[in-house]
Amino acid sequence: MIPLEDGFQDVIGKAARGLGLTDESLARAAGLTPDQLRRAKAGEFDERVVRRLAPVLRLDPEALVALGRGEYRPRDPGEIPGFLAFPTRWGDMIVNAYLVWDLGSREAAAFDTGGDCSAMVEAIRERKLRLGSIFLTHTHGDHIASLERLKEETGAHAYVGDREPIEGAEPFAAGREFRLGALSIRTLLTNGHSPGGITYLVSGGPRLLAIVGDSLFAGSMGGGNVSYADALRNNREKILTLPGDTVICPGHGPLTSVEEERRHNPFFAS
């Protein structure tokens, strides 16, 4: 079982950094001592402390407390025909890559490569799929570490959003639509964590899939490394407005859904 990418302390840290709050200013605004804040940021859960921090950080207190208590775990969507997830190791992290295929034509596409594409290549061969495309959510090293190998093994063509061009991948402007047999792949700009992060919305199969990279995690989100405001806005307006049963496929952590994150993600629940 893939663990959550972030604990409550990670959410606190990301929100504080995004809002430009120093430890001193955060502790003062929340009415906490520096030691109380230090303990919380180190992962020591104290509900009273967390409830004081939540409004200052513009986080939902109930969702943040549930995360701190270990009560939140998204429901497993179960097996989805024509879809596989590949959690791979990259350094001390687990990073996800995904494989989607049209059940009729057996045409397939990969979404990111993770740290090692071996399991994905094996699955492609076992299922007699034809991998024609590799779509990159963004170009951070953990998501593209196996790109050249996957291209060599399959002959697939790689695509990347034009705000993050890299050698070996064709850039495209967000809004472009791709076809995968009977499936449609719509592209949404969800920048903020990275300069040109792309969410791929795959429709026409058994479930609507939103492959979001590091834009959104179960119970958290990617850090707003480029723009915290853009990251929040894109998640809220472009991902969490999708139908509630849309399966969210994040770059790290377990699969979740739009409904789960509307209700349980401290950044967005209300």
Side-chain angles (χ1 to χ4, degrees):
M1 182 178 292
I2 302 175
L4 293 176
E5 172 66 7
D6 288 340
F8 80 96
Q9 69 275 20
D10 301 300
V11 170
I12 288 170
K14 287 179 177 180
R17 288 191 298 274
L19 294 171
L21 294 171
T22 65
D23 285 356
E24 181 182 2
S25 62
L26 177 55
R28 184 171 58 250
L32 301 174
T33 67
D35 187 59
Q36 285 176 310
L37 178 58
R38 179 188 62 78
R39 289 173 180 272
K41 292 183 75 174
E44 184 176 313
F45 180 71
D46 181 322
E47 182 173 342
R48 188 167 48 91
V49 168
V50 168
R51 287 190 180 278
R52 287 188 178 183
L53 287 169
V56 179
L57 295 171
R58 305 175 193 172
L59 300 171
D60 181 79
E62 300 306 325
L64 190 59
V65 166
L67 193 62
R69 288 175 176 167
E71 296 174 350
Y72 176 58
R73 175 82 195 176
R75 287 172 290 181
D76 188 338
E79 182 177 350
I80 303 172
F83 171 82
L84 287 173
F86 298 88
T88 65
R89 176 78 55 185
W90 195 78
D92 60 353
M93 296 191 296
I94 299 295
V95 56
N96 299 327
Y98 299 99
L99 184 65
V100 176
W101 65 96
D102 172 48
L103 296 172
S105 68
R106 315 299 287 177
E107 293 180 59
F111 295 84
D112 291 343
T113 70
D116 182 354
C117 67
S118 297
M120 182 182 288
V121 169
E122 183 178 350
I124 290 167
R125 291 173 177 166
E126 284 181 351
R127 289 164 175 76
K128 296 181 172 55
L129 304 177
R130 295 187 299 278
L131 188 75
S133 303
I134 304 166
F135 295 106
L136 304 178
T137 61
H138 63 302
T139 58
H140 290 172
D142 50 331
H143 294 264
I144 64 170
S146 208
L147 177 58
E148 288 308 312
R149 181 184 165 201
L150 186 57
K151 288 170 60 180
E152 290 171 6
E153 294 268 7
T154 64
H157 188 76
Y159 297 90
V160 67
D162 60 6
R163 295 192 183 189
E164 292 187 47
I166 58 167
E167 186 176 354
E170 178 184 334
F172 66 88
R176 179 173 171 182
E177 294 193 21
F178 296 87
R179 299 296 305 181
L180 183 66
L183 306 180
S184 171
I185 303 172
R186 187 155 60 95
T187 60
L188 310 174
L189 178 65
T190 47
N191 59 304
H193 175 71
S194 70
I198 297 289
T199 286
Y200 296 93
L201 191 60
V202 184
S203 60
R207 298 287 298 273
L208 182 61
L209 306 174
I211 301 172
V212 301
D214 287 357
S215 292
L216 190 67
F217 303 143
S220 185
M221 59 181 272
N225 302 359
V226 176
S227 170
Y228 183 64
D230 284 344
L232 287 172
R233 178 179 52 79
N234 283 320
N235 284 333
R236 187 176 289 116
E237 296 180 3
K238 297 182 181 180
I239 298 175
L240 296 179
T241 53
L242 295 168
D245 61 353
T246 303
V247 179
I248 295 175
C249 312
H252 304 272
L255 299 175
T256 182
S257 71
V258 167
E259 180 182 8
E260 291 272 8
E261 299 315 303
R262 285 177 188 160
R263 296 176 58 191
H264 301 294
N265 192 308
F267 290 98
F268 306 106
S270 60

